[in-house]
Amino acid sequence: QVQLVESGGGLVQPGGSLRLSCAASGSISSIYPMGWYRQAPGKQRELVARFTGVASTNYADSVKGRFAISRDTAKNTVYLQMHSLKPEDTAVYYCNYDTYARNYWGQGTQVTVSS
């Protein structure tokens, strides 16, 4: 059984930075996709950034150049470093781990970008 726990969300001014963490318990393999999604009020959940394999990543166009995903395999933790935050980045951010047989989600962490 895999559990994902996100942390690091909060309120930040436009142009600011935040780093989200997703700590995974259970058996995690780097060969499966793992990363971050977000859902803003009234909108569908969307991909932000994820590892698609051991070293490959993909990002939403809206965050390229501003966000960076990384991981510490020894700690079973995935990070999302967010810079130059915009009000439209406001959403609940969810960690995801997809083994294809099963899709795991964390409980989400709120990110609010506002002055």
Side-chain angles (χ1 to χ4, degrees):
Q1 185 74 2
V2 172
Q3 289 188 321
L4 306 174
V5 179
E6 302 99 333
S7 61
L11 173 64
V12 63
Q13 291 187 340
S17 299
L18 279 176
R19 189 177 82 154
L20 305 183
S21 299
C22 171
S25 61
S27 179
I28 297 292
S29 172
S30 297
I31 67 172
Y32 295 119
M34 185 169 183
W36 295 91
Y37 288 71
R38 68 186 180 188
Q39 188 166 18
K43 294 188 176 181
Q44 289 190 331
R45 194 171 295 189
E46 63 177 3
L47 172 70
V48 178
R50 66 173 182 171
F51 288 99
T52 54
V54 176
S56 57
T57 59
N58 67 294
Y59 291 85
D61 288 344
S62 61
V63 307
K64 284 180 181 177
R66 300 189 298 122
F67 292 10
I69 191 170
S70 62
R71 64 182 163 197
D72 184 333
T73 54
K75 296 182 178 179
N76 264 2
T77 300
V78 173
Y79 303 97
L80 184 68
Q81 180 68 56
M82 305 185 291
H83 295 295
S84 302
L85 282 160
K86 305 175 181 180
E88 51 263 44
D89 294 318
T90 295
V92 179
Y93 284 69
Y94 296 92
C95 184
N96 173 262
Y97 175 60
D98 184 4
T99 67
Y100 305 117
R102 184 165 175 179
N103 208 358
Y104 296 91
W105 294 94
Q107 82 288 351
T109 186
Q110 176 71 46
V111 172
T112 302
V113 185
S114 174
S115 55

